[in-house]
Amino acid sequence: MPRPRFPHPLALLVGCVLLAAVLTWVLPAGKFERREDPATGRSVVVAGTYSRVEPHPVGPFRAFVAIPKGIVDAASVIGLVFLIGGGFTVVERTGTFGRLVHGLARRLKGRGILVIPVASVAFSLGGIMMQMQEELIAFVPVLLLLVRQLGFTPLTAVAMSLGAAAVGAAFSPVNPFQVIIAQKVAELPPASGLGFRLVFLVPALALWIAGTMYYANRTRVPPQESETGPRMALDWRDGAVLLSILAAFAIYIYGAQRLGWEFDELAALFFVVGLLAGLLHGLGVGGTAEAFVDGFKSMAFAGLLIGFARAIYVVMNEGQIVDTVVNGLFTPIAGLPPTLSAVGMMIVQAAIHLPVPSTSSQAVLTLPLLVPLSDLIGLSRQVAVLAYHYGAGLCEILTPTNGALMAMLAAAGVRYEEWLGFVLPLYGLLMALATVALVVAVALRLQ
């Protein structure tokens, strides 16, 4: 059976913008009253105060005007995407990541299977810290050489790199493209709930690594004889760059919690990381600038998706139907226990991620609707963010609309249906773990 074809994500979002404009003519305008919550300092809706207001339908031209407005509204998020992408492209250009992986292979040579947990943890850190996916495509030649020498299949290379990074991102407490963006939209402190997320990150990675090791052992063949190639040892400059990446996140977490830092500060930190990497490794001012430009180009599509997705909310807000939609969603959920509502949110987020493959776009598209809904049904905003994070994030290992996944599979010579056969059982186990996490979060009233 041929794989279903979906519209181009940008075309899909433009269609959603126009559909939102149509809805402003169809749905009645309405609003909830809002109040300041003295305990949190956040603006929350007041249950039972929804009322109709004068209609404000959005015409076709105003719908297109909402697109640049959406880009402006999401400017800080888009700037973060560009500068982190540029900084990591510089690091990748220096070869630091390639030497790190090669060094791991040399140290573990002869111990075969141990390469999988070590490499998986290393790549998962990229997912945890910045949702690394597209950057991993450059590692395919080294990874294929590694697995051939150890007797593993190319699928194992994809699983212990992009797969591990995606699982790390889906359960990460600090991933700026998912959890930090979602928390900002939900008006939560950046990196809040860090300890809770760490508790479930560990078993999630353990499940993925165990599944990858089981598959690798089951499909292992006699290793191929191959030249080891020149030694590629990490030097002090690589160590300095890797430490700077860790330091950037540590500084940001401190700044966000104590100094009120937001996306602009995080973007600036990774601009500095990129400069440091380029200059330490002799790229020079020109070479570092060119690497940044290449990184910006690679992130342009993601940035546009965020802005176009934000335009959907701009149209609905101008038409004053956001609260109408929230009120309509609340009606069927109102009778459900909060725990079932949380699980339902996660399932819906998973479904939405198929046509909207950008997790950042999905955050700015869905959280403005789900946060007021969670306020109404007595569910904490942190739980709503968790439902989004797990539902959308875990789909990154599965959905064919994830361009990084499809490109990685193609570069490694792995068929999509082969990947599905491997990943579906693990996806089911990870979704079960995410469900447990939501149930516990509701029980603890996680804030």
Side-chain angles (χ1 to χ4, degrees):
M1 178 180 294
R3 177 164 54 90
R5 297 181 63 86
F6 293 92
H8 189 281
L10 207 59
L12 179 64
L13 289 176
V14 171
C16 289
V17 169
L18 296 175
L19 177 60
V22 171
L23 290 177
T24 64
W25 293 82
V26 175
L27 297 178
K31 293 188 74 68
F32 285 107
E33 294 180 10
R34 284 168 168 78
R35 62 174 178 82
E36 291 297 319
D37 183 356
T40 61
R42 298 195 298 264
S43 175
V44 298
V45 299
V46 180
T49 61
Y50 174 81
S51 61
R52 301 283 181 87
V53 297
E54 182 180 353
H56 290 79
V58 176
F61 182 69
R62 295 305 303 171
F64 289 118
V65 170
I67 293 174
K69 284 187 175 182
I71 294 173
V72 171
D73 279 1
S76 62
V77 181
I78 295 171
L80 174 68
V81 169
F82 275 111
L83 288 175
I84 285 187
F88 270 83
T89 298
V90 176
V91 176
E92 187 275 329
R93 188 71 53 85
T94 66
T96 293
F97 291 141
R99 285 187 289 275
L100 175 63
V101 174
H102 191 81
L104 291 171
R106 292 183 66 89
R107 288 179 180 276
L108 293 172
K109 188 175 182 180
R111 286 173 280 180
I113 199 70
L114 293 181
V115 168
I116 293 174
V118 174
S120 295
V121 169
F123 282 114
S124 71
L125 289 175
I128 291 167
M129 292 190 296
M130 55 81 66
Q131 197 176 335
M132 181 185 291
Q133 286 195 30
E134 289 83 0
E135 297 85 349
L136 301 182
I137 298 170
F139 298 154
V140 168
V142 174
L143 288 170
L144 291 180
L145 174 63
L146 171 63
V147 296
R148 281 197 298 266
Q149 290 176 349
L150 298 175
F152 300 133
T153 67
L155 189 149
T156 303
V158 179
M160 69 185 191
S161 55
L162 185 140
V167 172
F171 285 85
S172 168
V174 293
N175 176 1
F177 294 98
Q178 288 187 40
V179 65
I180 302 298
I181 286 178
Q183 286 176 333
K184 181 175 176 63
V185 174
E187 300 178 344
L188 292 169
S192 57
L194 185 148
F196 182 88
R197 286 179 169 83
L198 283 175
V199 168
F200 287 93
L201 170 63
V202 173
L205 287 176
L207 276 172
W208 183 263
I209 292 170
T212 303
M213 293 175 71
Y214 173 77
Y215 171 85
N217 267 327
R218 187 167 56 86
T219 59
R220 193 171 189 176
V221 297
Q224 294 184 14
E225 295 295 330
S226 176
E227 295 293 329
T228 59
R231 184 176 179 85
M232 299 173 61
L234 290 168
D235 59 23
W236 68 269
R237 295 172 300 177
D238 296 320
V241 171
L242 294 172
L243 285 175
S244 73
I245 294 172
L246 296 175
F249 276 101
I251 293 169
Y252 173 70
I253 291 171
Y254 174 84
Q257 294 179 343
R258 301 295 181 89
L259 306 176
W261 285 10
E262 295 188 357
F263 292 131
D264 293 343
E265 288 79 7
L266 181 58
L269 284 172
F270 274 91
F271 182 69
V272 173
V273 168
L275 289 176
L276 176 66
L279 297 179
L280 275 180
H281 282 275
L283 294 183
V285 174
T288 301
E290 289 177 1
F292 265 111
V293 170
D294 289 342
F296 298 157
K297 289 177 181 177
S298 69
M299 293 296 163
F301 180 52
L304 282 175
L305 286 178
I306 294 170
F308 275 61
R310 183 65 180 176
I312 299 169
Y313 177 76
V314 169
V315 169
M316 297 178 69
N317 191 52
E318 288 186 358
Q320 297 197 37
I321 63 169
V322 173
D323 288 358
T324 298
V325 173
V326 170
N327 188 59
L329 290 172
F330 169 71
T331 302
I333 296 178
L336 296 177
T339 301
L340 290 180
S341 298
V343 175
M345 285 181 181
M346 181 178 69
I347 294 172
V348 170
Q349 291 284 11
I352 291 173
H353 195 62
L354 190 64
V356 184
S358 167
T359 52
S360 301
S361 297
Q362 188 167 338
V364 296
L365 170 63
T366 61
L367 266 298
L369 301 179
L370 290 183
V371 166
L373 177 60
S374 66
D375 289 342
L376 287 173
I377 63 179
L379 204 61
S380 80
R381 295 184 176 193
Q382 198 70 255
V383 172
V385 171
L386 280 173
Y388 147 76
H389 192 194
Y390 295 148
L394 284 175
C395 270
E396 293 282 271
I397 64 174
L398 183 68
T399 173
T401 53
N402 178 2
L405 171 63
M406 301 308 290
M408 189 81 168
L409 292 176
V414 178
R415 299 191 309 275
Y416 180 66
E417 59 270 24
E418 182 184 359
W419 175 256
L420 282 182
F422 161 76
V423 80
L424 281 174
L426 288 174
Y427 176 76
L429 291 173
L430 290 169
M431 283 293 281
L433 177 65
T435 300
V436 172
L438 288 175
V439 171
V440 173
V442 173
L444 296 177
R445 298 182 183 275
L446 183 67
Q447 297 297 321

